[in-house]
Amino acid sequence: DAKTTQPTSMDCAEGRAANLPCNHSTISGNEYVYWYRQIHSQGPQYIIHGLKNNETNEMASLIITEDRKSSTLILPHATLRDTAVYYCIVRVRSNDYKLSFGAGTTVTVRA
Amino acid sequence: NAGVTQTPKFRILKIGQSMTLQCTQDMNHNYMYWYRQDPGMGLKLIYYSVGAGITDKGEVPNGYNVSRSTTEDFPLRLELAAPSQTSVYFCASGRGDGGYTFGSGTRLTVV
């Protein structure tokens, strides 16, 4: 699986868009990008995933660069409840679908 | 729709005792996983299952056993508990597209 690099931490203002970067320069053609988040003391929560096209759902948008070497998760209007650790994971969709969680980015939304 | 239910939520074990962490899902997912998360660290995969009767080891299986007799249930057994097994244990299930649903966790302390 391709390795991902995320900033250790970042702050954003409540009500503003939060843009979370992820580098995955060794990604291969059949690897998907997944994003999860973990709010303190809770189980991780699936946010979104994509292969090469930009994706949007009710929680967030995922922008993947044309060369697929990096991606950005966008939380359009961050709230205090979005404070969490965000994990970017790159994985082949194989028949076991194991996901490996790294250290992630600690995002703090400030009032 | 309960999702993924883990019991118990908290447990204190003495060294050498055994216990079973229960995990049940009501979404008819074939894929189920057990992770552990030590304080301030990422999640590590213990065991996983791709369907009833099929289990396999993850990154850190030593000291644990699993079984999968039904689609719904995936219990994790700790034999001869050790202080190194003090952790938060998360169970997850998925339908095979990488979008897992996690339970709320079991916080285990071994003293």
Side-chain angles (χ1 to χ4, degrees), chain A residues 44-65:
Chain A
Q45 177 187 24
Y46 165 79
I47 301 173
I48 199 167
H49 74 280
L51 181 62
K52 55 183 178 181
N53 297 320
N54 297 337
E55 302 287 344
T56 295
N57 62 21
E58 64 278 6
M59 289 182 66
S61 295
L62 174 60
I63 308 298
I64 302 174
T65 58

Side-chain angles (χ1 to χ4, degrees), chain A residues 14-69:
Chain A
E14 187 178 22
R16 305 294 294 269
N19 297 302
L20 283 63
C22 181
N23 286 322
H24 31 79
S25 58
T26 61
I27 193 170
S28 60
N30 60 347
E31 288 184 307
Y32 284 71
V33 180
Y34 295 87
W35 283 86
Y36 279 75
R37 73 180 182 183
Q38 187 174 23
I39 296 170
H40 181 62
S41 297
Q42 298 181 19
Q45 177 187 24
Y46 165 79
I47 301 173
I48 199 167
H49 74 280
L51 181 62
K52 55 183 178 181
N53 297 320
N54 297 337
E55 302 287 344
T56 295
N57 62 21
E58 64 278 6
M59 289 182 66
S61 295
L62 174 60
I63 308 298
I64 302 174
T65 58
E66 191 168 345
D67 63 7
R68 301 204 331 118
K69 293 183 185 299

Side-chain angles (χ1 to χ4, degrees), chain B residues 56-89:
Chain B
D56 207 347
K57 297 177 180 179
E59 300 173 77
V60 290
N62 291 342
Y64 307 94
N65 279 299
V66 293
S67 59
R68 184 95 182 271
S69 57
T70 66
T71 298
E72 296 77 19
D73 300 309
F74 191 40
L76 178 71
R77 177 79 177 166
L78 278 71
E79 304 283 1
L80 299 175
S84 61
Q85 293 178 303
T86 293
S87 192
V88 181
Y89 292 83

Side-chain angles (χ1 to χ4, degrees), chain A residues 34 36 38 41-46 49 87 93-102, chain B residues 31 33 35 37 41-43 45 48 50 57 90 96-100 102-104 107:
Chain A
Y34 295 87
Y36 279 75
Q38 187 174 23
S41 297
Q42 298 181 19
Q45 177 187 24
Y46 165 79
H49 74 280
Y87 299 98
R93 287 182 66 177
S94 67
N95 60 359
D96 58 20
Y97 296 97
K98 293 181 292 185
L99 295 180
S100 296
F101 291 79
Chain B
Y31 301 84
Y33 310 84
Y35 288 87
Q37 186 173 34
M41 306 295 286
L43 286 84
L45 183 65
Y48 68 100
V50 300
K57 297 177 180 179
F90 291 104
D97 61 358
Y100 295 4
F102 279 82
S104 57
R107 284 150 184 79

